[in-house]
């Protein structure tokens, strides 16, 4: 049994996951980053101990998926925008000391991508990309079953590819990057400034309300979704042209409303990817649902240590 920890900007979830990806127990709490890294680490330890005890599980390892950037080899948190004050937190060392088991950590997009590659939409695919669209945009690149890493083990920040240099500024320092144009907050920010003030939905506009309006055929909301499909499609088209993948799986909160914009994204891909066999690149929805984050965290451990344990056993 593997302990799994998913660390996001709003909540921390823990679970106990078996070798088949089944979750035997889970718990969660608010992230509350303002309480500091050490407090957050102690809450993770306490929740995981309690969850493992309830499941009657003896943990042989712990896997972590964390909003990034993170250093997967030192196990130290970088400057994570959603976790202010946690920079330099040695989370892997802290958990290893508490549980006396090997611990592995990856960026949360990479963690979810590994789970989808092994048990979900990317199963059996040699060239697989996982794209999560929610508060931000992240991409995992998994080639021949192995997670692609950049120099120093870095996670490529494909959500910050520039697709419209005249677009709005992003916290990353660029203008018009994919995340600042097609993430959940970006959709809502654009809608709030472009839907007329006297529009029936503009008083308390939320993503849920915006999607409800689009589902009801509201022209202004449909225009927002058309724009979302266009910018999502541009980023995906760049991935298709660059990697010529077998499959791109889409996950994250925004993708829950993909019926409102995915056809437009497919149209953009067809228009832009004329030099590669774009029709061979399957665009699929992630299939693991609510279990993705914890299954992914556990898969991080298997990806890092599983092959080593098998080789040692032989």
């Amino acid at each position: 049994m593997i302990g799994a920890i998913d660390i996001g900007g709003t909540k921390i979830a823990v679970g106990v996951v078996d070798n088949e990806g089944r979750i035997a127990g889970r718990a969660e709490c608010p992230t509350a980053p303002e309480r500091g890294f050490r407090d957050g680490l102690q809450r993770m330890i306490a929740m995981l101990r309690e969850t493992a005890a309830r499941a009657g599980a003896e943990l042989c390892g712990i896997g972590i998926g964390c909003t990034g950037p993170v250093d997967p080899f030192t196990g130290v948190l970088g400057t994570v925008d959603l976790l202010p004050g946690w920079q330099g937190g040695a989370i892997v060392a802290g958990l290893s000391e508490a549980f006396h088991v090997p611990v592995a950590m990856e960026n949360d997009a990479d963690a979810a991508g590994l789970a989808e590659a092994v048990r979900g939409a990317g199963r059996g695919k040699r060239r697989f990309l996982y794209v999560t669209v929610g508060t931000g945009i992240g991409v995992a690149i998994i080639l021949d079953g192995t997670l692609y890493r950049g120099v120093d083990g870095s996670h490529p920040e494909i959500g910050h590819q520039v697709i419209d240099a005249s677009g709005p500024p992003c916290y990353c320092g660029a203008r018009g990057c994919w995340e600042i144009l097609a993430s959940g907050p970006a959709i809502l920010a654009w809608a709030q400034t472009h839907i007329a003030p006297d529009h029936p939905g503009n008083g308390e506009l939320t993503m849920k309300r915006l999607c409800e309006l689009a589902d009801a055929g509201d022209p202004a909301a449909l225009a927002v979704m058309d724009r979302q499909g266009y910018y999502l499609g541009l980023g995906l088209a760049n991935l298709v042209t660059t990697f010529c993948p077998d499959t791109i799986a889409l996950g994250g909160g925004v993708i829950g409303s993909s019926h409102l914009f995915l056809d437009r994204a497919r149209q953009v891909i067809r228009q832009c990817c004329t030099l590669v066999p774009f029709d061979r690149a399957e665009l699929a929805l992630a299939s693991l649902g609510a279990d993705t984050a914890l299954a992914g965290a556990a898969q991080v451990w298997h990806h890092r240590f599983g092959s080593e344990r098998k080789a040692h056993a032989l």
Side-chain angles (χ1 to χ4, degrees):
M1 303 290 277
I2 303 299
I5 302 178
D6 173 56
I7 305 169
T10 58
K11 70 177 176 68
I12 298 170
V14 307
V16 176
V17 185
D18 69 14
N19 283 337
E20 301 304 317
R22 292 184 294 259
I23 298 174
R26 69 178 80 209
E28 64 179 56
C29 70
T31 305
E34 69 278 1
R35 293 168 57 175
F37 169 74
R38 182 160 294 280
D39 179 89
L41 178 62
Q42 291 306 313
R43 283 182 284 133
M44 292 177 218
I45 292 170
M47 282 196 300
L48 191 53
R49 279 182 174 153
E50 182 180 347
T51 303
R54 286 201 312 266
E58 182 178 349
L59 301 182
C60 65
I62 299 171
I64 308 164
C66 182
T67 181
V70 302
D71 188 318
F73 298 113
T74 65
V76 172
L77 301 177
T79 304
V80 182
D81 187 60
L82 297 177
L83 302 174
W86 287 31
Q87 180 182 4
I91 188 167
V92 166
L95 288 165
S96 182
E97 181 180 352
F99 289 90
H100 306 290
V101 296
V103 181
M105 176 172 65
E106 297 285 357
N107 168 280
D108 54 355
D110 284 341
L114 285 168
E116 286 288 337
V118 173
R119 308 190 189 281
R123 188 171 185 175
K125 308 296 185 181
R126 292 187 58 194
R127 296 157 289 260
F128 174 65
L129 307 181
Y130 172 78
V131 178
T132 179
V133 186
T135 305
I137 296 181
V139 182
I141 307 164
I142 300 171
L143 307 176
D144 290 323
T146 300
L147 182 66
Y148 173 80
R149 304 182 191 279
V151 65
D152 291 332
S154 57
H155 165 79
E157 292 290 347
I158 295 176
H160 293 279
Q161 58 172 307
V162 175
I163 57 177
D164 183 353
S166 64
C170 178
Y171 66 87
C172 72
R175 298 187 70 95
C177 64
W178 199 16
E179 182 170 301
I180 205 66
L181 291 168
S183 66
I187 301 168
L188 193 57
W190 192 86
Q192 288 170 334
T193 57
H194 287 79
I195 291 181
D198 59 350
H199 187 278
N202 205 18
E204 297 181 4
L205 194 60
T206 62
M207 277 298 298
K208 180 180 179 181
R209 180 59 179 149
L210 187 61
C211 292
E212 289 172 347
L213 290 167
D215 275 324
D218 180 82
L222 287 172
V224 174
M225 294 302 161
D226 182 77
R227 177 183 183 273
Q228 169 63 9
Y230 173 72
Y231 281 118
L232 179 67
L234 281 180
L236 292 173
N238 286 344
L239 296 183
V240 172
T241 296
T242 303
F243 293 99
C244 300
D246 298 298
T247 299
I248 299 177
L250 303 175
V254 170
I255 301 303
S257 301
S258 62
H259 64 285
L260 294 170
F261 50 77
L262 198 54
D263 284 346
R264 178 70 169 114
R266 294 181 193 276
Q267 181 185 44
V268 173
I269 292 171
R270 288 194 298 271
Q271 290 172 342
C272 296
C273 300
T274 58
L275 299 181
V276 297
F278 67 88
D279 55 331
R280 300 284 300 278
E282 177 190 14
L283 193 59
L285 299 182
S287 62
L288 297 180
D291 290 342
T292 300
L294 290 178
Q299 197 59 45
V300 164
W301 187 91
H302 286 291
H303 187 261
R304 184 80 58 83
F305 297 115
S307 59
E308 294 178 12
R309 288 168 67 88
K310 288 177 183 177
H312 180 72
L314 293 174

